Amino acid sequence: MDKVFQAVFYLFLIMILVKLSQFAYRVLRERRYMKELAQSGMPYIDKMDGRQFEFYLQALFQQLGYKIQVTPSSGDFGVDLVMKGKEKIVIQAKRYSAKNRVSLSAVQEVYAAKAYYKANQAWVVTNSYFTKQAKELAAACDVTLLDRADLQNFINEVNPVFKAREIFENITPEPRKCPKCGQDLVVRDGNGTRFFGCSSFPSCRHKEKINKEQKM
């Protein structure tokens, strides 16, 4: 009977040790993830609008030695940045909220733009993720996709001299119009938070979060 009790006791002890080791591993993994997240500046990238995200990518690739051409807001043939280095790369930038995934239309557009700009490579870069259909089409069309995890790893590998926070705080977001009165929305600061407020305040008190999703 004692031997049975000892066997049960040791089995129970082993189960406890396994659970503790699993818990410790999860804690260490979570700490490493949070450290890498902070180093990459992803929390500030998530707050950017589309224009700020383009500026951030521009600065990132300039550090790698690329010459950057920013395309106009209209008539860009589905491309936000044209990068010239050893190879010519066209990029479509998608600053999305985490709940929205980039669809295959982005892949279609950048693939067509690759031919128009006579580029060697076509990329879609996002702080979010891609749909299954977008991934399948990209694989078939040889389009490079950088999702949230890829972008975070890429930033940490480049280790840019500037920080995402600098872009977010110093680059003016894309102009917007107030949906209530039609006047311009301007960036305001209140209680340590930046937001879009109507320029006709106080007659119009409309305001929006500065990180409200902009699909580009």
Side-chain angles (χ1 to χ4, degrees), residues 8 66 81 98-99 127 198 208:
V8 172
Y66 285 93
L81 301 172
K99 296 180 180 179
N127 66 319
C198 185
E208 299 176 2

Side-chain angles (χ1 to χ4, degrees), residues 122-209:
W123 294 15
V124 183
V125 182
T126 183
N127 66 319
S128 185
Y129 296 96
F130 296 92
T131 63
K132 179 182 177 181
Q133 293 82 357
K135 293 177 182 179
E136 292 175 350
L137 183 61
C141 297
D142 194 27
V143 171
T144 299
L145 302 182
L146 267 68
D147 66 10
R148 184 178 184 84
D150 297 326
L151 179 60
Q152 179 177 310
N153 292 335
F154 183 60
I155 292 169
N156 286 335
E157 287 178 6
V158 175
N159 190 22
V161 295
F162 60 91
K163 302 300 179 185
R165 179 177 180 176
E166 298 174 41
I167 300 294
F168 172 67
E169 293 181 345
N170 295 295
I171 299 299
T172 303
E174 189 173 6
R176 299 189 186 189
K177 294 292 184 180
C178 177
K180 289 187 176 180
C181 68
Q183 297 298 314
D184 291 334
L185 293 180
V186 295
V187 179
R188 301 187 187 279
D189 293 284
N191 298 323
T193 302
R194 304 174 80 218
F195 62 91
F196 284 109
C198 185
S199 58
S200 64
F201 180 86
S203 60
C204 177
R205 296 177 177 271
H206 178 78
K207 63 180 182 179
E208 299 176 2
K209 291 182 179 180

Side-chain angles (χ1 to χ4, degrees), residues 57-70 80-91:
L57 293 179
Q58 179 182 351
L60 186 65
F61 283 99
Q62 279 180 333
Q63 184 169 323
L64 293 175
Y66 285 93
K67 293 183 179 180
I68 311 297
Q69 173 190 341
V70 181
D80 299 305
L81 301 172
V82 180
M83 306 188 305
K84 297 178 180 179
K86 292 182 179 181
E87 291 190 327
K88 191 174 186 181
I89 304 174
V90 290
I91 290 183

